[in-house]
Amino acid sequence: MKDFFALLKEGNKPSLLAAIINTIIAGLKGGAFFLTGNVAMFAEMMHSVGDAANQYFVFIGSALSKKAPTPKFPNGFGRVVNIVLLFAVLIVGILAYETIIEGWHHIQHPTQSGGFLIIIGVLAIATVLELFVLYKAGKEVLHETRTESKGLDPLTKSFAHLKNAKPATKLVFMEDLVATSGNLLALIAVVIAHYTGFLEAEGIVSIIIGCMMFYVVGRIFLENARGAIGETDEQMLNHIAHLVMDHKEVRDIKKLEVIKEGEFLHVELVAKVNPDISFAEADDIRDHLVELILAQHGVQDVTVSFDEDDGITHWKHVSNRPETLPPLKK
């Protein structure tokens, strides 16, 4: 039990913050829905419940993925976070379906809801809180990608670096981007329905929110399905290949794998070296390569072995050195 709580301290902090805030928001929206019967508020309540549940799962999964490798699981538990995220998006998918169905029913049978000021107040508070979480998640995206952050950068520059962020942080950012947008859409729909009598607007927005939730489900599912299977990090593979080939005694690369293990990278290298070097020299080269590769951002473990050079070029995967290399791990 002590080990479990120790691991929780290593969990993804933005996901925990988002989960707590979305729990509060879900309670506020749930109270507003039961008081007013507003269908747009129902959609937003379901969205916040799904986000909160998702983010609790993400936090626990990201913490468990930090568990050290064991003899039975020598590659560690990095992919646990991918498996947890696959389960988490199923919850969002179910809630998205219910949100769309409820919106469709409201379009077919529109009803007037009361409590206009209550709804406006709750949605305004929710928008501010979601924007705060989005800012924090964006800041974490820039931190994880070693990008300088100041002012409103977390809300503007994060999109360009999102693909290189950790899976958990990426999910939190995307969910809260949709949540913030959903709150604003619900707010607009409530105002339109109240002042124009076009009650179907709330149902239409409910369907839009549900579709946005499905978009998050689809994108996160595909990304984490690849991660659970084991996906090559092409950019880092290219980078490490050049680092290895820069060594004067390395003649070729027979095998190089850079596999994503959740938030970490597992590297396996078979290098072809000068057959005239001594065992002691080969050992020094191995130590140097291991130290060099482990210094790269996200690399957790490295396996390096050698084969003598036979004069045949095996490695043709890389050609030109990439212009932008991943930054070194601090």
Side-chain angles (χ1 to χ4, degrees), residues 172-230:
V172 172
F173 184 88
M174 290 183 63
E175 282 190 336
D176 280 284
L177 177 63
V178 171
T180 304
S181 304
N183 284 326
L184 292 173
L185 286 174
L187 192 62
I188 293 170
V190 169
V191 171
I192 291 175
H194 181 75
Y195 286 107
T196 68
F198 182 56
L199 305 179
E200 291 85 352
E202 295 174 1
I204 293 171
V205 164
S206 181
I207 292 175
I208 293 173
I209 293 171
C211 290
M212 289 193 299
M213 293 167 69
F214 267 127
Y215 170 76
V216 173
V217 168
R219 181 166 175 179
I220 296 298
F221 180 86
L222 290 175
E223 290 186 4
N224 285 280
R226 294 197 299 266
I229 295 170

Side-chain angles (χ1 to χ4, degrees), residues 3-301:
D3 291 340
F4 177 72
F5 286 112
L7 283 173
L8 286 182
K9 294 180 181 180
E10 301 296 322
N12 185 269
K13 300 300 187 298
S15 62
L16 179 59
L17 174 65
I20 293 172
I21 290 181
N22 272 300
T23 300
I24 296 171
I25 293 174
L28 291 173
K29 291 176 178 177
F33 169 68
F34 287 115
L35 288 173
T36 65
N38 184 278
V39 70
M41 187 60 71
F42 172 81
E44 277 303 301
M45 178 190 71
M46 296 291 278
H47 190 180
S48 295
V49 168
D51 283 353
N54 233 352
Q55 288 151 359
Y56 280 122
F57 277 121
V58 170
F59 172 69
I60 295 172
S62 66
L64 293 177
S65 70
K66 305 295 194 306
K67 183 176 172 62
T70 65
K72 191 173 182 179
F73 299 99
N75 289 334
F77 298 83
R79 298 189 195 186
V80 168
V81 68
N82 299 116
I83 296 171
V84 170
L85 286 172
L86 287 175
F87 177 75
V89 295
L90 293 178
I91 297 175
V92 180
I94 293 170
L95 295 176
Y97 171 77
E98 293 295 333
T99 300
I100 292 174
I101 292 300
E102 186 66 24
W104 178 248
H105 287 164
H106 187 76
I107 292 175
Q108 291 183 314
H109 309 285
T111 56
Q112 178 74 48
S113 57
F116 176 71
L117 294 180
I118 294 175
I119 296 171
I120 293 297
V122 168
L123 287 175
I125 293 171
T127 300
V128 172
L129 291 176
E130 294 284 12
L131 195 59
F132 170 74
V133 174
L134 182 64
Y135 180 87
K136 287 292 186 180
K139 195 170 184 179
E140 188 67 15
V141 168
L142 297 181
H143 172 71
E144 291 174 358
T145 55
R146 301 296 191 269
T147 305
E148 184 180 352
S149 173
K150 59 181 180 179
L152 295 177
D153 285 350
L155 298 177
T156 56
K157 294 171 65 174
S158 300
F159 297 93
H161 302 278
L162 190 59
K163 65 178 181 179
N164 295 320
K166 295 177 180 178
T169 304
K170 189 183 301 184
L171 175 63
V172 172
F173 184 88
M174 290 183 63
E175 282 190 336
D176 280 284
L177 177 63
V178 171
T180 304
S181 304
N183 284 326
L184 292 173
L185 286 174
L187 192 62
I188 293 170
V190 169
V191 171
I192 291 175
H194 181 75
Y195 286 107
T196 68
F198 182 56
L199 305 179
E200 291 85 352
E202 295 174 1
I204 293 171
V205 164
S206 181
I207 292 175
I208 293 173
I209 293 171
C211 290
M212 289 193 299
M213 293 167 69
F214 267 127
Y215 170 76
V216 173
V217 168
R219 181 166 175 179
I220 296 298
F221 180 86
L222 290 175
E223 290 186 4
N224 285 280
R226 294 197 299 266
I229 295 170
E231 181 183 18
T232 297
D233 188 319
E234 292 287 347
Q235 183 186 26
M236 188 60 83
L237 183 141
N238 196 9
H239 176 46
I240 291 175
H242 280 292
L243 292 177
V244 172
M245 293 298 292
D246 281 345
H247 196 287
K248 64 179 182 179
E249 298 294 349
V250 175
R251 304 291 175 81
D252 193 13
I253 297 174
K254 187 173 183 179
K255 177 183 178 183
L256 177 60
E257 292 183 351
V258 182
I259 305 298
K260 292 181 180 178
E261 298 282 351
E263 299 176 0
F264 308 107
L265 299 174
H266 170 77
V267 179
E268 183 176 354
L269 168 69
V270 179
K272 296 172 67 176
V273 296
N274 182 356
D276 297 328
I277 62 176
S278 66
F279 180 83
E281 290 174 314
D283 189 55
D284 289 340
I285 295 171
R286 180 190 178 280
D287 291 342
H288 172 73
L289 291 177
V290 168
E291 182 180 359
L292 180 64
I293 295 171
L294 280 175
Q296 307 311 304
H297 178 56
V299 176
Q300 184 183 46
D301 62 278

